[in-house]
Amino acid sequence: MARLEDLKRGALVRGILPDQAVTVIDVKWYGESVIDLTYKDAAGHLGSQLLYRAQEPTLEIVTEGLPWSFVAD
């Protein structure tokens, strides 16, 4: 679960569109419980949606990265 405060520019988020993650382009707050989220989907199309606190349980921040790395001493 992600909070509305976690949705920042560049974040990859699931739960906005079905079966795909979107990239956050911009977030505009309306009070403390509503945001206007501008996003880009996997095909590069822009979209906008109002999100409310009640939708937080459906949101997930996707962490990009590899399951392994070459980082060592």
Side-chain angles (χ1 to χ4, degrees):
M1 179 177 106
R3 299 194 52 197
L4 296 180
E5 289 82 5
D6 299 333
L7 303 179
K8 300 188 186 306
R9 288 182 181 158
L12 198 59
V13 182
R14 288 194 190 278
I16 306 297
L17 295 178
D19 301 325
Q20 66 175 305
V22 299
T23 303
V24 175
I25 302 297
D26 194 30
V27 176
K28 183 176 181 183
W29 282 90
Y30 295 104
E32 296 181 6
S33 59
V34 181
I35 62 170
D36 184 3
L37 180 74
T38 303
Y39 61 86
K40 181 171 58 171
D41 67 11
H45 299 109
L46 294 176
S48 181
Q49 183 173 342
L50 289 177
L51 295 177
Y52 300 88
R53 290 271 180 216
Q55 293 172 276
E56 286 180 336
T58 65
L59 302 175
E60 175 188 357
I61 302 291
V62 179
T63 54
E64 288 188 350
L66 300 173
W68 44 264
S69 71
F70 292 107
V71 176
D73 292 337

